Amino acid sequence: MSDAVSLSLRQCARTFADGHTALYPLDLNINAGETLVLLGPSGCGKTTTLRIISGLETTDHGGEVWFDDRNVTALPIEKRNVGMVFQNYALFPNMNVAENVGYGLKIAGLSPAARQTRIDEMLDMVDLHHLASRSITALSGGQKQRVSLARALAARPKVLLFDEPLAALDAKLRDRLRQDIGVLLKKLAITAVYVTHDQQEAMALGDRIAVMEQGRLVQIGTPREIYQQPKSRFVAHFVGAINCIEQDSQGQPVRFCRPEDIVLMSPRPDSRHGKIISMTFLGASQRLVIDIGLEKPLHVECSARATWLPGQRVGWTLADERILQFHALTRQENDFAE
Ligand code: ATP
């Protein structure tokens, strides 16, 4: 879609009437056609940011929201041309599938024929044509979410906003719909902002991920950058597992690594050493917990082909470039125990 817009938040912030600051001044640029995922723990300000983009929430004085070169800060949601998909679907239970998808089009004044064409197109897109006349109350969670997606897209929005759309679905359905949403976002090349606290969802869908912590943006980058070069222990821990492999003289962890970057072998003079505490076979891989003489044991994820047994002594190595070191400590750091 060549008419995708870029988004720009300039010093957007939100302190509520009770004095609680949900968002500290935030500058954020989202490219036209990009999917940006806002990722972070509950309460970090993701939804507030999304609502400021949509116009459902206002930014504190001084903040600005721009769509391309248009300052939309003062515009309400209905004038911003955004589509929204929520966790709780927000569908009309007294209407059938097609009526839900076409609702906004009726309000926008499209003729019945133009409406029908658009509804057909949208239902094809989300693979729901066969359910067009079914009542919303007779749909599964996954089907409901497809209807909300179709409804959000029907008005041809310039920006698509998702607030935890898959959180209420079971794991299998979530995977399937996540893939479908990913394919659709690529195909439409629409600018999208996607809120989640699920790191796998974030990595699978985001062109870039913005990680938030307590009302602040703490890192923004491609999924690969965020996972492989996290700037802080908080980010490293939030998007995957980390091990401490070295402590300083006060026992503070100083060097870390990902469980899958460890290479196991029979003990060698040039390897580091440990003793296997437990092994969990997972089919495609196995997880080992290894005592390496530090406060916390090492967690290793490796191929399930090699046989390692609890009690066994092992050697392990780690390429220098896989070692993670953090300089900036962030606020929630101590809440995350490896
Ligand atoms: P979640 O994943 O749980 O939805 P979130 O990262 O989306 O969390 P927000 O919904 O943006 O977080 O909320 C950020 C903080 O602001 C939270 O502590 C929340 O309780 C608070 N908050 C949100 N809305 C209001 C409000 N209207 N008045 C006061 N505080 C609010």
Side-chain angles (χ1 to χ4, degrees):
M1 218 194 277
S2 55
D3 59 350
V5 299
S6 62
L7 302 185
S8 171
L9 302 191
R10 303 180 187 170
Q11 293 290 296
C12 285
R14 189 72 180 111
T15 296
F16 290 105
D18 62 0
H20 179 78
T21 300
L23 188 65
Y24 291 91
L26 168 73
D27 287 317
L28 185 63
N29 292 309
I30 304 166
N31 302 319
E34 178 181 37
T35 300
L36 182 87
V37 173
L38 298 177
L39 176 70
S42 182
C44 71
K46 308 179 294 289
T47 298
T48 302
T49 306
L50 196 77
R51 285 168 58 85
I52 289 174
I53 296 172
S54 72
L56 284 172
E57 187 66 74
T58 53
T59 163
D60 291 345
H61 183 69
E64 291 178 355
V65 181
W66 290 71
F67 285 12
D68 278 342
D69 52 5
R70 261 178 88 213
N71 183 344
V72 300
T73 315
L75 295 185
I77 181 165
E78 61 275 15
K79 299 244 170 79
R80 291 195 188 186
N81 201 1
V82 297
M84 292 201 74
V85 182
F86 301 95
Q87 174 181 343
N88 64 2
Y89 321 120
L91 296 167
F92 305 111
N94 55 333
M95 296 181 194
N96 69 22
V97 168
E99 287 162 350
N100 263 278
V101 174
Y103 179 78
L105 305 176
K106 199 169 178 178
I107 306 266
L110 261 71
S111 71
R115 251 169 23 223
Q116 194 53 51
T117 310
R118 188 80 63 85
I119 291 169
D120 288 343
E121 189 192 331
M122 292 302 128
L123 289 180
D124 276 346
M125 193 180 324
V126 298
D127 225 359
L128 276 186
H129 220 136
H130 58 299
L131 298 180
S133 53
R134 186 173 284 188
S135 155
I136 287 297
T137 50
L139 297 181
S140 70
Q143 290 165 341
K144 282 184 191 157
Q145 205 49 297
R146 284 172 197 277
V147 178
S148 10
L149 188 57
R151 187 182 60 179
L153 285 167
R156 301 215 194 290
K158 292 215 173 298
V159 175
L160 201 49
L161 304 174
F162 295 89
D163 196 355
E164 303 259 12
L166 308 181
L169 305 178
D170 68 49
K172 225 178 177 137
L173 213 52
R174 200 160 57 221
D175 277 2
R176 168 85 203 283
L177 201 51
R178 182 183 76 193
Q179 284 178 29
D180 291 351
I181 291 176
V183 169
L184 205 59
L185 288 175
K186 286 276 165 300
K187 190 168 114 191
L188 298 173
I190 190 171
T191 312
V193 185
Y194 190 106
V195 163
T196 182
H197 61 264
D198 180 317
Q199 75 271 26
Q200 285 196 347
E201 214 169 296
M203 286 196 240
L205 288 172
D207 292 314
R208 286 187 302 156
I209 298 173
V211 184
M212 298 182 68
E213 181 192 10
Q214 294 191 357
R216 290 187 167 89
L217 175 67
V218 287
Q219 187 168 359
I220 182 164
T222 63
R224 216 172 264 275
E225 283 164 354
I226 297 283
Y227 188 81
Q228 295 176 345
Q229 296 150 40
K231 282 190 182 156
S232 68
R233 207 168 135 194
F234 170 81
V235 173
H237 195 278
F238 199 75
V239 297
I242 51 168
N243 286 302
C244 165
I245 54 164
E246 238 171 86
Q247 295 171 333
D248 66 13
S249 53
Q250 273 95 50
Q252 289 302 310
V254 287
R255 302 176 109 199
F256 304 84
C257 74
R258 297 281 185 209
E260 67 276 19
D261 287 335
I262 300 216
V263 180
L264 292 183
M265 62 197 66
S266 301
R268 287 195 326 219
D270 62 340
S271 68
R272 308 186 198 213
H273 296 86
K275 187 176 171 189
I276 298 179
I277 300 171
S278 67
M279 186 277 287
T280 309
F281 178 73
L282 296 168
S285 66
Q286 61 187 321
R287 275 192 206 138
L288 299 161
V289 181
I290 301 175
D291 178 9
I292 56 168
L294 295 183
E295 192 187 330
K296 299 213 168 113
L298 195 66
H299 289 252
V300 178
E301 174 120 19
C302 60
S303 156
R305 295 289 174 193
T307 308
W308 302 104
L309 297 171
Q312 194 177 349
R313 296 200 168 274
V314 285
W316 59 277
T317 59
L318 173 70
D320 284 349
E321 63 272 22
R322 301 280 182 259
I323 295 174
L324 304 173
Q325 261 175 301
F326 310 115
H327 302 291
L329 294 183
T330 60
R331 9 192 115 236
Q332 287 189 353
E333 212 114 72
N334 294 329
D335 299 346
F336 285 84
E338 280 80 49

